[in-house]
Amino acid sequence: MATSEARNIQRYGVPLYGASWVPHTAAAENPAGEYVVLAGGGGEGSSGIPNAILLSQFDRSATSLSSNPVIQHGTGADLPYRMAVHPRGDGLIASFPTSCRWFDWENVENGELGLRPSDRVLNQLEDVGQQLALAFSEDGSLLAVGGEDGKLRVFKWPSMELILNDGEAYKVVKDLHFSIDGKYLVTLGSGGPCRVWDVTTSTVVATLLKENDEVFRFCRFSQSIDRDQVLYIIAFQGKGVNVISWRTDTWKRISSKQIVRDSVTAFDASTDGKLLAVGTNEGSILVLNSSNLKLQMTLKKAHLGLVTALAFSRDSRAFCSASMDASVRVTVVEDKSPNGFNYWIIVLIIILALVAYYLKNQGLFPESLPFQ
């Protein structure tokens, strides 16, 4: 019999390369359900491993994932290698070896959420080669894609009007991400520096320089506790991996700290800005407090293979992770205050103080103790 701890991990028989949470607006007819969408497969050839986009349902009260995918949509010989979910529930875009395709959500007869290929063809992303980075802006009005050929494109959504087109941005685009307010786009890749673009003017406003032998690999915008926007970059340096934080008004470094010696293969920042999560080539996951970069949670060997994707839920209380070993895992994050006390301990202290105040006002609590 599977333990309750094991029910938050499932293997669906497909090596996974992408994972994301489905917006609640997409599952409006099933408000109690939460869904994780996954992408992966065996690629081209005769491996016998299918290529597919999958939906899994997550029951937060039981901390469990559905034992089988709610739906598994096969994509033939084409591997869905990267994807981005529209934050307002429009659907999702997936990157295949030569083109990108759009998929729509649908509600099936039993009330569960479904997924189907859209009739909509993204002509601007046909025959453009493998896209390695896809991202929507927070409000869903912009779509950025970066390719294996080094080209960077930004479109208005859903019109697909091209507003930024850099054909020589990098040799290979590795990662990109929009700021919370949608004004900036950070990009990084091989053969070029990390750049910050003002998407309203399609111009570079900052070039973030490396120090010593740093190699920038992942980038995410988030916010600090006081709600100022912050940029985080994962940088390989020597025999370790650092998290670097940057101000978004001066584009100066705030801090840099080594977090792990293993190679980092996935990274995400929580929506509320409190947590950072990294996945390693050894299958482990580390969760950091963003304010001081101290380790808050370690999941040793969370997966048997390298972690390929990490994504926090919209409420920042859980994250999903995926792996080459065909496993997906959802981990609920314990809520802690910045100084390390458990949130519920603070709540208990407040309740006890209120009870003591009430008893004192009712004359049930002595003004002074006999030995005072």
Side-chain angles (χ1 to χ4, degrees):
M1 179 182 295
T3 65
S4 58
E5 182 180 0
R7 287 200 294 268
N8 70 326
I9 308 171
Q10 296 293 342
R11 287 178 172 79
Y12 295 140
V14 175
L16 299 171
Y17 298 96
S20 187
W21 294 83
V22 177
H24 287 291
T25 52
E29 294 187 15
N30 187 11
E34 291 184 86
Y35 293 86
V36 174
V37 60
L38 310 161
E44 293 183 284
S46 56
S47 66
I49 301 174
N51 299 306
I53 297 177
L54 310 91
L55 269 179
S56 176
Q57 188 166 20
F58 177 62
D59 183 345
R60 192 173 296 219
S61 62
T63 318
S64 65
L65 284 160
S66 53
S67 57
N68 294 300
V70 173
I71 190 170
Q72 180 168 328
H73 173 75
T75 57
D78 295 331
L79 170 68
Y81 188 57
R82 293 287 187 267
M83 67 177 179
V85 173
H86 191 273
R88 299 295 183 259
D90 284 7
L92 69 86
I93 183 173
S95 168
F96 294 89
T98 61
S99 303
C100 292
R101 302 178 202 167
W102 185 254
F103 293 82
D104 293 320
W105 308 116
E106 64 176 355
N107 287 289
V108 294
E109 293 181 358
N110 59 4
E112 292 182 339
L113 186 67
L115 181 75
R116 63 177 177 82
S118 177
D119 295 331
R120 176 177 186 169
V121 178
L122 302 176
N123 295 312
Q124 297 87 338
L125 294 174
E126 286 281 302
D127 300 317
V128 293
Q130 181 73 67
Q131 301 302 297
L132 298 179
L134 307 169
F136 280 104
S137 60
E138 183 71 17
D139 65 358
S141 65
L142 297 172
L143 168 66
V145 298
E148 196 172 40
D149 59 2
K151 293 181 179 180
L152 171 68
R153 300 175 177 90
V154 179
F155 302 91
K156 289 184 179 180
W157 183 265
S159 69
M160 290 298 289
E161 175 189 345
L162 185 64
I163 61 171
L164 195 162
N165 185 18
D166 190 335
E168 299 179 349
Y170 302 95
K171 291 180 180 178
V172 177
V173 178
K174 295 290 185 70
D175 201 12
L176 49 79
H177 196 247
F178 284 100
S179 60
I180 296 172
D181 59 10
K183 182 179 180 180
Y184 299 116
L185 174 74
V186 59
T187 62
L188 56 82
S190 60
C194 179
R195 299 184 179 98
V196 180
W197 303 75
D198 184 331
V199 294
T200 62
T201 60
S202 299
T203 57
V204 176
V205 295
T207 299
L208 307 184
L209 300 178
K210 304 170 185 177
E211 295 183 356
N212 300 322
D213 58 345
E214 290 175 337
V215 177
F216 292 170
R217 181 58 188 89
F218 297 100
C219 52
R220 289 292 183 274
F221 279 104
S222 189
Q223 59 184 345
S224 62
I225 295 175
D226 54 8
R227 298 192 178 278
D228 290 330
Q229 292 193 103
V230 181
L231 172 62
Y232 295 100
I233 290 178
I234 296 294
F236 292 16
Q237 186 178 38
K239 296 182 179 180
V241 179
N242 300 339
V243 176
I244 309 170
S245 59
W246 305 73
R247 293 177 62 97
T248 57
D249 52 357
T250 62
W251 303 111
K252 301 295 185 182
R253 293 189 182 213
I254 301 172
S255 65
S256 178
K257 183 178 181 180
Q258 185 179 89
I259 55 170
V260 68
R261 289 190 174 274
D262 296 337
S263 180
V264 170
T265 53
F267 173 59
D268 198 23
S270 63
T271 304
D272 64 9
K274 295 180 180 179
L275 300 173
L276 307 175
V278 296
T280 75
N281 62 334
E282 296 295 324
S284 298
I285 297 172
L286 290 77
V287 179
L288 309 170
N289 184 315
S290 65
S291 63
N292 52 25
L293 298 182
K294 289 185 177 180
L295 191 62
Q296 180 164 316
M297 176 189 296
T298 303
L299 301 173
K300 287 286 188 182
K301 300 294 183 181
H303 299 272
L304 297 178
L306 65 87
V307 181
T308 52
L310 278 169
F312 277 96
S313 59
R314 295 294 296 175
D315 63 6
S316 303
R317 293 172 54 201
F319 62 85
C320 63
S321 54
S323 172
M324 285 280 291
D325 69 1
S327 67
V328 56
R329 174 180 184 139
V330 173
T331 303
V332 175
V333 181
E334 183 180 2
D335 192 3
K336 292 184 177 180
S337 65
N339 63 5
F341 285 103
N342 188 285
Y343 170 80
W344 293 110
I345 294 177
I346 296 175
V347 172
L348 179 60
I349 292 172
I350 293 172
I351 291 173
L352 290 175
L354 291 173
V355 170
Y357 178 78
Y358 173 80
L359 293 175
K360 183 177 180 180
N361 285 347
Q362 296 296 316
L364 302 176
F365 196 84
E367 293 291 338
S368 60
L369 298 176
F371 53 80
Q372 287 184 320

